[in-house]
Amino acid sequence: MKKLALAAALSLATTAAFAGGYEEPIIEPVIIEEETGSSTGAWIPLLVFAVIAAAAASCN
C-alpha cells in the first residue's frame, strides 16, 4: 500500500512539473549597428588643396 501511495505521489509530482506544456522561449533579436564613415574626412584634403591653389594663384 505504501508503494502505491508513493508511486501515486511521484507521478502527481512529475505531471505537475509539466502541467503548463511546452512554451517556446522568447528570444529578442540582436540589433547590430554598423558605424558609418564620416564624410568630413574627405573635406580636409580638398580644403588644403584649395588653400594651396589659392596661395599659388596669388603669387603669380
Side-chain angles (χ1 to χ4, degrees), residues 37-44:
S38 177
S39 64
T40 59
W43 286 101
I44 294 173

Side-chain angles (χ1 to χ4, degrees), residues 15-40:
T15 56
F18 297 107
Y22 176 74
E23 184 175 330
E24 189 172 341
I26 300 172
I27 301 173
E28 294 186 20
V30 177
I31 300 173
I32 300 173
E33 293 184 17
E34 190 172 318
E35 292 185 23
T36 58
S38 177
S39 64
T40 59

Side-chain angles (χ1 to χ4, degrees), residues 4-16:
L4 182 63
L6 181 62
L10 286 176
S11 68
L12 180 63
T14 57
T15 56

